[in-house]
Amino acid sequence: HVQLVESGGGSVQPGGSLRLSCVGSGFSVREYCMGWYRKVAGQDTEGVGSIDSDGNTNYRSDVKGRFTISKDNAKNTLYLRMTKMEPEDTAMYYCAADTCTEVADENGYRNWGQGTQVTVS
């Protein structure tokens, strides 16, 4: 079965940097579409960015230029590099994965990690 395990969360100062990792198993990170989401208590889950099977990325406007999504196919791992972090980036961060067909059909990701907490203060 598909499994995703996030790590790398923690506390950083405004302007600082942090790199989150998401190790996949039971599927190929290279072949799947993957995304990062974040959740603040009392608010809706919001998409941070995504990467497809060709390595093309997309980001929400308020993280563009600050966050970078990448894959290490040899390690079957997805990364989220965050720089110039702001208090508004504080949230629980989740990675998600599915076939790109499912993502293109807007059916939503079916596979999610457990989350890793990021606090900027």
Side-chain angles (χ1 to χ4, degrees):
H1 295 285
V2 171
Q3 289 188 301
L4 301 166
V5 180
E6 301 98 332
S7 63
S11 181
V12 297
Q13 295 181 329
S17 299
L18 201 63
R19 187 180 75 163
L20 307 184
S21 299
C22 174
V23 179
S25 61
F27 74 102
S28 171
V29 165
R30 177 187 178 93
E31 296 178 355
Y32 268 39
C33 280
M34 304 190 71
W36 285 99
Y37 288 77
R38 62 189 184 186
K39 177 74 167 68
V40 177
Q43 301 181 20
D44 293 333
T45 301
E46 61 184 21
V48 176
S50 64
I51 186 167
D52 67 16
S53 56
D54 293 320
N56 301 306
T57 56
N58 287 289
Y59 304 92
R60 64 180 294 113
S61 61
D62 57 1
V63 307
K64 192 173 299 182
R66 299 190 298 118
F67 290 11
T68 303
I69 295 172
S70 63
K71 296 177 179 178
D72 186 329
N73 296 324
K75 296 180 179 179
N76 213 46
T77 299
L78 175 75
Y79 298 102
L80 176 64
R81 174 66 174 176
M82 301 180 286
T83 65
K84 299 179 180 179
M85 298 185 71
E86 305 168 352
E88 292 74 20
D89 296 321
T90 296
M92 184 74 75
Y93 283 71
Y94 300 88
C95 68
D98 213 328
T99 66
C100 293
T101 297
E102 289 292 322
V103 174
D105 288 341
E106 299 183 347
N107 293 323
Y109 290 98
R110 294 176 292 179
N111 307 293
W112 295 81
Q114 84 290 344
T116 184
Q117 179 66 40
V118 171
T119 302
V120 185
S121 63

